[in-house]
């Protein structure tokens, strides 16, 4: 892992303006430092929307009702999570897994493995949706093993290439999504 740049954002002598636009700064800072600096960094909602698309968040998260869901719906995230919790969810996806989105791995008697979210469940079968959005139906009789994985289907490091400005904008955009 790359060494973290020892900057102290809480220290008023640190010139935020001089590093705010530097690409890749987020990946160089500890999560604690990013959370601290976010309090001082100004984000722009419109810019954040661009970052959301450009960084591929849109592949798994929708912000419009009616689009097929792959990860949690983001159109109301600002009403549910604080900006700090949003930032933390992006920086550390495994730290807390959103309800209903824990990753389940099912192995069948005929040696198939499915990894995804359980979207429906009955006495006869379960439905698992993988990260591409594909839904598979697996008969309960055919399940050899079912376990919950402690990992998020959301990869970490997605925001490492961002500048502080871009990350603050991304968080501001999501915080503005109140449904
Ligand atoms: C490969 C799919 C995928 C991509 C790409 C992805 N996410 Fe996620 N995200 C998920 C899944 C699945 C969860 C739910 C599990 C969890 O909480 O970690 C999640 C959870 C979240 C949460 C917490 C939501 C809540 O209600 O608790 C936020 C915020 C979030 N993602 C933002 C982002 C942003 C911003 C990006 C782009 C930088 C992104 N995600 C990219 C799949 C993805």
């Amino acid at each position: 892992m790359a060494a973290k740049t020892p900057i102290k954002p809480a220290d008023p002598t640190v010139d935020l303006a001089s590093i705010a636009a530097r690409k890749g700064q987020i990946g160089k800072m500890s999560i604690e430092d990013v959370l601290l600096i976010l309090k001082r960094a100004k984000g722009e909602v419109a810019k954040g929307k661009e970052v959301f698309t450009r960084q591929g968040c849109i592949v798994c998260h929708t912000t419009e009702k009616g689009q097929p869901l792959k990860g949690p719906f983001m159109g109301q995230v600002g009403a549910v999570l604080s900006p700090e919790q949003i930032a933390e969810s992006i920086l550390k996806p495994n730290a807390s897994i959103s309800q209903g989105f824990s990753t389940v791995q099912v192995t069948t008697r005929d040696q198939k493995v499915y990894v995804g979210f359980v979207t429906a469940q009955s006495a006869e079968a379960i439905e698992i949706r993988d990260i591409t959005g594909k839904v598979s139906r697996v008969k309960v009789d055919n399940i050899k093993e079912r376990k919950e994985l402690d990992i998020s289907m959301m990869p970490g490091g997605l925001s490492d290439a961002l500048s502080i400005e871009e990350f603050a904008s991304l968080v501001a955009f999501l915080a503005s999504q109140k449904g």
Side-chain angles (χ1 to χ4, degrees):
M1 227 171 100
K4 306 283 183 194
T5 313
I7 65 154
K8 290 206 169 50
D11 178 349
T13 62
V14 169
D15 183 8
L16 173 58
S18 71
I19 58 165
R22 206 183 287 159
K23 292 270 180 199
Q25 186 65 36
I26 294 296
K28 295 203 186 99
M29 291 165 67
S30 71
I31 290 173
E32 292 72 25
D33 283 349
V34 175
L35 293 179
L36 276 174
I37 210 158
L38 262 193
K39 295 197 172 111
R40 293 206 282 140
K42 270 220 172 69
E44 278 175 47
V45 172
K47 251 193 202 161
K49 191 172 182 188
E50 275 171 41
V51 175
F52 190 75
T53 305
R54 180 154 45 84
Q55 293 303 117
C57 317
I58 201 103
V59 174
C60 296
H61 296 289
T62 61
T63 54
E64 311 277 335
K65 290 217 170 88
Q67 293 173 320
L69 281 182
K70 297 176 202 159
F73 178 60
M74 287 286 129
Q76 282 167 346
V77 70
V80 182
L81 301 181
S82 70
E84 206 164 55
Q85 289 170 318
I86 291 173
E88 220 174 346
S89 302
I90 303 169
L91 297 165
K92 282 198 288 199
N94 293 337
S96 70
I97 312 273
S98 326
Q99 219 190 349
F101 287 94
S102 60
T103 312
V104 170
Q105 180 180 311
V106 168
T107 311
T108 62
R109 298 196 187 279
D110 54 354
Q111 300 305 324
K112 291 202 185 97
V113 178
Y114 300 89
V115 176
F117 316 120
V118 174
T119 48
Q121 192 156 334
S122 71
E124 295 87 46
I126 62 170
E127 270 179 19
I128 298 186
R129 188 174 54 212
D130 73 13
I131 204 64
T132 68
K134 184 172 163 246
V135 176
S136 309
R137 202 178 131 88
V138 183
K139 288 226 171 79
V140 169
D141 291 350
N142 191 21
I143 296 176
K144 193 165 115 198
E145 188 194 38
R146 171 182 173 163
K147 60 178 177 190
E148 298 234 334
L149 306 180
D150 286 337
I151 47 157
S152 171
M153 293 228 278
M154 175 164 156
L158 284 176
S159 53
D160 283 359
L162 299 181
S163 67
I164 292 168
E165 244 166 27
E166 289 170 322
F167 188 74
S169 296
L170 180 60
V171 172
F173 164 63
L174 291 174
S176 76
Q177 298 296 303
K178 301 201 167 163

